[in-house]
Amino acid sequence: MSQSSVAVFSWPKINDIALSVADGSMTAVANVEKALSLIREYDNTYHAILSTCEELALEKAKKIDDMVASGEWNAEEYPLLGVPFIAKDNLLVKGTETTAASNMLKGFVAPYTATAVQRLENAGAICVGKANLDAFAHGGSTENSDFGVTKNPHDTGRVPGGSSGGSAAAMALGYTPFTLGTDTGGSIRQPASFCGVVGFKPTYGRVSRSGAVAMASSTDVIGPITSNTEDTALIMSVMSGKDELDSTTIDSDPNEFRNVSDKKSVTVGVVKELLSDAVAPEIREEVEAAAQAYRDNGHKVVEVSIPTIDVALATYYVLVPAELSSNLSRHDGQRYQYSADDTATLEESYEKSRTSGFGREAKRRIMLGTYVLSSGFYDAYYKKAQKARTKLISEFNKAFETCDVLLGPTTPSVAFKIGELTDDPIQMYAQDIMTVSVNLAGLPAISMPVVRNSSMPIGVQIIGQHKKDAQVLEVASLLEGRES
Ligand code: GLN
């Protein structure tokens, strides 16, 4: 699929860029300079980027070009040679500011690099900047960023989605050949859908969380945002795998992602509960069109039911605040960046730092999380939600007894207007209805873009079985290049 029509620059496929840098027809320095100049030229309008790391990036690029010139290197070790990228600003990149878009971390310079980013850089990729997000990744519009909202490149009056809204907008604009996001409840897939790009949420544990600012540790995962599934597969092949710094990581076969063109006949299950009345008719139509495309290509399409999806949103908004309230307790005004002035006691410093450092949404979620974990309500909320999660997982497993992958929308509507939902947190949470169940079950899923003429982009979601990430990409690739 070609890059969406709003792109200000069209990069070649990632493998072609790496080959061109290897044969000297492109240089890493020129690629980095191009990405930085696009950001300089266009980002005043979109505000997708919070910071760039020009000096560091150029230094890394120069080293790559020198290595290529020396001839003393092995191309196989550098599948991303000289490829610039942008990381969501909740991912640590040593020596660069990492804020998670919160005043709490403003000015915080990362002391080490996230494993996922490090693996990309070891393969020759170069991080050139950090993308905007909802503070601490809480949200679905980037409106919760303490540093200003990102604009949707397809309509600057609309949100780009979130929380990886900056990463999705940057990808749609073509600042770099790929960007990184994190997905705790939909934060890669939903903005990808709103911005018309490919957003992939890997199986939980497939990519190390080490060096990602923690939101909810049992569902957080890092994943790529790209313009096509081939690039996604390449990035995944580099980023995946066991990491001793994250005990929840799983073993990956590095070759798994290299064979994604192996298109066998599959059974696609259309999830009944994901096509509820909450879904806008034009989105339902696109899901039906995708199902038809599979049928036309000789695949089987069946309807499946996962009834617990109906309570997945409520389950998510108990479990995730519970986990994040615990994770955010480390931001106490002593250990990290921000600390309130003029406090007489340690107690007062904790209190003032947390009340003035966190934004409204983080505070709302901390209160919700501590409430559901409190001894009087633990059984009624937290434990019950855990039971619902287990039930949901078993229903997914049952569905996968008859289907290879599942199909549904990514979002109930197209990108909404900036400010439209900010006064109504419940309505805002309701936007996550199509994505959160996938995180609760730890499954891989992708949002594939459908861009129709001048209207806003729509995403179609394909959900796969645990650890069958490559199959998701395989099946998703069949939707590429479709006339819509
Ligand atoms: N929108 C969801 C939320 O606010 C998802 C966030 C995420 O995936 N980081 O929790």
Side-chain angles (χ1 to χ4, degrees):
M1 188 169 292
S2 62
Q3 225 153 30
S4 67
S5 55
V6 292
V8 292
F9 186 73
S10 191
W11 293 88
K13 283 211 172 142
I14 293 174
N15 184 44
D16 294 334
I17 299 175
L19 292 176
S20 302
V21 175
D23 73 19
S25 54
M26 262 183 174
T27 68
V29 167
N31 288 345
V32 165
E33 277 171 349
K34 180 72 203 172
L36 291 168
S37 81
L38 292 170
I39 295 170
R40 264 194 304 271
E41 190 173 345
Y42 295 100
D43 211 48
N44 283 340
T45 307
Y46 300 103
H47 192 46
I49 306 301
L50 290 181
S51 60
T52 53
C53 32
E54 187 161 349
E55 219 174 289
L56 257 178
L58 285 169
E59 201 179 293
K60 289 173 191 168
K62 173 106 188 24
K63 269 199 191 135
I64 287 177
D65 290 336
D66 288 348
M67 179 182 83
V68 172
S70 77
E72 284 162 27
W73 64 292
N74 177 0
E76 272 176 26
E77 286 172 25
Y78 298 94
L80 306 178
L81 194 72
V83 178
F85 71 98
I86 289 161
K88 185 176 180 178
D89 200 29
N90 61 352
L91 300 174
L92 302 191
V93 182
K94 189 177 174 175
T96 72
E97 191 182 357
T98 301
T99 66
S102 169
N103 283 324
M104 209 49 152
L105 286 172
K106 190 170 192 285
F108 177 75
V109 176
Y112 64 96
T113 298
T115 299
V117 172
Q118 191 61 57
R119 287 185 178 171
L120 297 172
E121 297 224 8
N122 291 348
I126 303 155
C127 180
V128 297
K130 309 295 290 296
N132 199 11
L133 63 149
D134 290 289
F136 288 109
H138 306 164
S141 66
T142 75
E143 290 167 296
N144 292 336
S145 167
D146 284 348
F147 310 129
V149 65
T150 297
K151 313 273 171 54
N152 190 309
H154 293 264
D155 176 349
T156 53
R158 291 176 190 262
V159 301
S163 61
S164 313
S167 304
M171 186 62 226
L173 290 161
Y175 290 167
T176 52
F178 75 97
T179 64
L180 289 183
T182 61
D183 195 314
T184 303
S187 279
I188 288 175
R189 289 160 287 155
Q190 185 255 27
S193 151
F194 281 6
C195 293
V197 289
V198 176
F200 182 60
K201 175 228 173 279
T203 294
Y204 176 77
R206 169 75 76 193
V207 179
S208 170
R209 287 175 293 118
S210 173
V213 177
M215 181 175 165
S217 306
S218 79
T219 65
D220 286 349
V221 63
I222 300 170
I225 301 180
T226 67
S227 63
N228 63 82
T229 55
E230 191 185 317
D231 285 354
T232 303
L234 178 54
I235 300 305
M236 284 305 299
S237 71
V238 173
M239 244 181 2
S240 306
K242 199 131 189 85
D243 176 19
E244 60 176 22
L245 299 175
D246 175 0
S247 61
T248 62
T249 46
I250 50 181
D251 265 331
S252 283
D253 171 3
N255 290 319
E256 177 188 355
F257 293 101
R258 299 195 199 263
N259 303 320
V260 286
S261 54
D262 184 15
K263 293 166 188 158
K264 295 184 203 77
S265 172
V266 291
T267 303
V268 178
V270 178
V271 186
K272 203 171 103 195
E273 290 74 13
L274 291 181
L275 284 176
S276 69
D277 293 343
V279 182
E282 74 262 33
I283 294 188
R284 191 189 299 260
E285 260 172 44
E286 291 302 342
V287 174
E288 276 153 18
Q292 192 54 44
Y294 285 118
R295 274 189 216 101
D296 293 347
N297 280 288
H299 301 282
K300 205 168 144 195
V301 177
V302 296
E303 190 186 79
V304 287
S305 172
I306 303 183
T308 301
I309 282 183
D310 287 343
V311 297
L313 199 60
T315 306
Y316 174 88
Y317 275 101
V318 170
L319 297 179
V320 167
E323 290 188 30
L324 72 84
S325 70
S326 160
N327 274 330
L328 290 183
S329 64
R330 62 169 67 99
H331 300 281
D332 58 2
Q334 323 304 316
R335 279 178 279 194
Y336 294 94
Q337 192 68 12
Y338 175 72
S339 189
D341 295 331
D342 299 329
T343 54
T345 63
L346 181 61
E347 193 87 286
E348 204 190 322
S349 172
Y350 284 147
E351 195 182 318
K352 272 202 171 166
S353 300
R354 285 172 67 79
T355 47
S356 56
F358 283 128
R360 278 169 70 88
E361 187 57 28
K363 283 187 227 167
R364 183 182 291 126
R365 292 183 187 216
I366 290 169
M367 286 195 289
L368 201 59
T370 29
Y371 179 81
V372 300
L373 287 174
S374 61
S375 61
F377 297 101
Y378 183 90
D379 284 358
Y381 294 105
Y382 185 77
K383 211 164 159 191
K384 206 163 177 185
Q386 287 291 24
K387 284 186 182 160
R389 183 178 192 174
T390 305
K391 189 152 186 276
L392 180 70
I393 293 170
S394 68
E395 287 175 13
F396 267 114
N397 287 341
K398 187 142 186 294
F400 284 127
E401 283 171 12
T402 52
C403 311
D404 297 294
V405 295
L406 304 174
L407 175 69
T410 309
T411 58
S413 68
V414 296
F416 44 92
K417 297 215 169 79
I418 292 174
E420 195 178 328
L421 301 178
T422 36
D423 291 336
D424 190 346
I426 302 289
Q427 267 305 312
M428 188 71 97
Y429 297 168
Q431 303 303 311
D432 303 332
I433 192 156
M434 307 294 156
T435 49
V436 293
S437 54
V438 172
N439 298 73
L440 292 173
L443 303 173
I446 195 166
S447 179
M448 292 298 288
V450 183
V451 186
R452 271 185 187 271
N453 305 325
S454 59
S455 63
M456 294 301 291
I458 289 173
V460 169
Q461 185 176 204
I462 294 157
I463 304 165
Q465 302 168 55
H466 192 238
K467 292 193 188 176
K468 294 209 172 169
D469 302 49
Q471 186 178 45
V472 172
L473 299 184
E474 235 168 78
V475 175
S477 71
L478 296 166
L479 295 180
E480 292 181 315
R482 217 162 31 110
E483 291 300 318
S484 62

